[in-house]
């Protein structure tokens, strides 16, 4: 491991520890008697059985992809804060096709849901990309606006096309439109010999890992990825080299949006009956993806592990009731997760500290000679 890799790993580890410590302080202030048992639950629950390990992977799937969405844009010099709206569009499109396209064979319907969701996310991501490329509108401002516009449009579309009057949500996907479990239910269950209490982890986690590897290859091993990164790191040099900067910006935001749209599809294509609520609230997966990306140091492979870690602590935190109110639980989890966003600050501080220590060591060594 080189120096940069070591600093990245150490920085990620430190922000996790700091976040957990601050979360513990909040728990102590709220309920001192139950604080340490609660902290132990957060730290161990996800590994307490094979079923829960599967649940960590199930809930980690969409935030791995939203983390990849944020990281892809960031690697190319852009900040896609619109992953939430792109996620919601992808989720709606997947649900609509899964419910309405019953004439398609199940395998083709599932594939269509995922591809269409990715296209929906790409189209919605293209809007801030086009505004950035041709009108120099900062992508943070435009993507915040498209988040809210997308949210209201999705609510309207659900009510118009796939609304379940009895439940007040979108229609549930039929089983034939959900992702296959690939036999994972025989591994991730509790207890091992039982046929019940199985995790619903499915093909989604395999796709998320495969997509992360694909993103790594695109960014690090292809000319296309080099051009996208070059426009982000040094636009003037990229322009001098003949790279079409406007096209690169639009493509980057489209790919970022496609990743978030795919996250929306995989989030709802589960056989647990999950559906989209008709509420004017942004999907938190898009914002959690920011911390996931930063904790993974914007490295596609690192994001796999950071996404699973965030899913792990959220699963443990969900077990803290009734000793802690839901508001307090959400506060603690938010503290832990959003401390992860400071990983670059910690890395910078560690880098400066190690450089200073190295210079001092050289000076002392030179004096001794």
């Amino acid at each position: 491991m080189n120096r940069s890799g070591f600093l990245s790993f150490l920085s990620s580890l430190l922000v996790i520890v700091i976040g957990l410590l601050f979360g513990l302080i909040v728990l102590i202030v709220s309920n001192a008697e139950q604080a340490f048992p609660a902290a132990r639950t957060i730290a161990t629950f996800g590994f307490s059985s094979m079923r829960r390990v599967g649940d960590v992977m199930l809930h980690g799937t969409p935030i791995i992809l939203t983390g990849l969405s944020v990281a892809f844009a960031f690697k190319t010099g852009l900040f896609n804060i619109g992953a939430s709206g792109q996620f919601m569009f992808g989720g709606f499109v997947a649900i609509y096709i899964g419910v309405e396209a019953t004439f398609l064979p199940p395998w083709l319907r599932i594939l269509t849901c995922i591809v269409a969701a990715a296209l929906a996310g790409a189209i919605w991501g293209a809007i801030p990309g086009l505004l950035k490329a041709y009108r120099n509108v900062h992508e943070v401002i435009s993507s915040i606006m498209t988040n809210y516009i997308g949210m209201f449009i999705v609510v309207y579309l659900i009510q118009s096309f796939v609304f379940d009057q009895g439940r007040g949500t979108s229609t549930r996907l039929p089983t034939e439109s959900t992702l296959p479990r690939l036999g994972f239910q025989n591994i991730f269950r509790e207890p091992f010999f039982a046929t019940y209490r199985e995790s619903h982890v499915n093909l989604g986690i395999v796709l998320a890992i495969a997509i992360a590897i694909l993103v790594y290859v695109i960014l690090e091993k292809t000319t296309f990825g080099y051009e996208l990164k070059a426009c982000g790191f040094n636009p003037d040099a990229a322009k001098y080299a003949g790279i079409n900067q406007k096209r690169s910006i639009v493509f980057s935001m489209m790919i970022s949006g496609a990743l978030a749209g795919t996250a929306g599809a995989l989030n709802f294509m589960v056989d647990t009956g999950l559906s989209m609520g008709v509420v004017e609230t942004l999907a938190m997966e898009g914002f959690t993806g920011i911390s996931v990306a930063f904790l993974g140091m914007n490295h596609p492979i690192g994001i796999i592990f950071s996404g699973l870690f965030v899913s792990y602590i959220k699963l443990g935190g969900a077990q803290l009731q009734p000793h802690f109110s839901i508001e307090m639980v959400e506060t603690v989890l938010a503290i832990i997760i959003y401390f992860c966003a400071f990983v670059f600050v910690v890395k910078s501080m560690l880098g400066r500290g190690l450089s200073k220590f190295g210079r001092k060591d050289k000076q002392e060594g030179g004096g001794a000679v």
Side-chain angles (χ1 to χ4, degrees), residues 45-353:
F45 185 81
F47 279 148
S48 59
S49 72
M50 289 300 293
R51 177 174 71 89
R52 288 161 185 162
V53 171
D55 288 344
V56 168
M57 292 189 287
L58 175 67
H59 297 297
T61 297
I63 57 177
I64 288 173
L65 287 168
T66 54
L68 287 171
S69 172
V70 174
F72 190 94
F74 202 83
K75 280 279 192 180
T76 60
L78 301 168
F79 191 7
N80 178 23
I81 204 171
S84 184
Q86 296 148 13
F87 175 95
M88 295 179 75
F89 259 109
F92 166 76
V93 169
I95 290 172
Y96 178 78
I97 293 175
V99 170
E100 297 296 331
T102 52
F103 56 88
L104 294 174
W107 68 269
L108 183 56
R109 196 188 320 166
I110 291 170
L111 179 61
T112 304
C113 287
I114 296 172
V115 173
L119 287 173
I123 292 169
W124 204 243
I127 296 174
L130 288 166
L131 290 172
K132 170 73 171 181
Y134 293 96
R135 288 293 179 265
N136 201 29
V137 178
H138 200 288
E139 70 276 7
V140 170
I141 303 300
S142 57
S143 58
I144 289 174
M145 294 173 65
T146 55
N147 267 343
Y148 285 96
I149 295 169
M151 175 191 69
F152 288 118
I153 291 175
V154 167
V155 168
Y156 169 78
L157 291 173
I158 292 173
Q159 292 175 325
S160 301
F161 297 104
V162 286
F163 186 57
D164 186 333
Q165 294 273 358
R167 301 173 66 238
T169 65
S170 68
T171 307
R172 292 182 180 181
L173 281 173
T175 304
E176 297 78 12
S177 298
T178 59
L179 295 168
R181 292 210 220 168
L182 303 179
F184 287 152
Q185 69 273 18
N186 298 321
I187 301 172
F188 300 104
R189 62 184 186 183
E190 169 191 15
F192 187 78
F193 54 82
T195 57
Y196 55 89
R197 295 178 66 83
E198 303 164 345
S199 172
H200 292 267
V201 62
N202 53 40
L203 175 64
I205 186 63
V206 178
L207 292 177
I209 294 172
I211 291 170
I213 295 171
L214 178 62
V215 168
Y216 171 76
V217 171
I218 290 173
L219 286 173
E220 304 297 335
K221 306 297 181 181
T222 67
T223 303
F224 176 64
Y226 173 80
E227 290 179 352
L228 293 181
K229 291 192 297 181
C231 288
F233 290 133
N234 195 328
D236 294 330
K239 184 178 180 180
Y240 181 77
I243 298 172
N244 189 326
Q245 186 181 1
K246 289 183 172 60
R247 183 186 64 185
S248 295
I249 290 172
V250 175
F251 278 175
S252 178
M253 289 300 292
M254 288 183 69
I255 294 171
S256 180
L259 291 168
T262 303
L266 300 189
N267 185 68
F268 293 104
M269 293 176 67
V270 294
D271 58 357
T272 57
L274 186 64
S275 55
M276 294 188 78
V278 186
V279 290
E280 296 174 354
T281 305
L282 291 172
M284 288 308 298
E285 288 85 351
F287 299 109
T288 303
I290 298 173
S291 293
V292 168
F294 287 0
L295 181 60
M297 300 302 294
N298 288 321
H299 192 290
I301 307 305
I303 287 169
I304 297 173
F305 296 101
S306 63
L308 291 175
F309 167 75
V310 170
S311 173
Y312 180 89
I313 62 168
K314 287 175 74 71
L315 186 65
Q319 314 305 313
L320 301 190
Q321 291 180 293
H323 300 297
F324 297 88
S325 66
I326 185 62
E327 292 81 9
M328 186 55 60
V329 171
E330 291 295 332
T331 299
V332 170
L333 294 179
I335 288 172
I336 297 171
I337 292 170
Y338 289 109
F339 252 98
C340 298
F342 290 98
V343 66
F344 288 106
V345 176
V346 174
K347 182 179 179 181
S348 177
M349 293 171 62
L350 285 175
R352 288 198 299 268

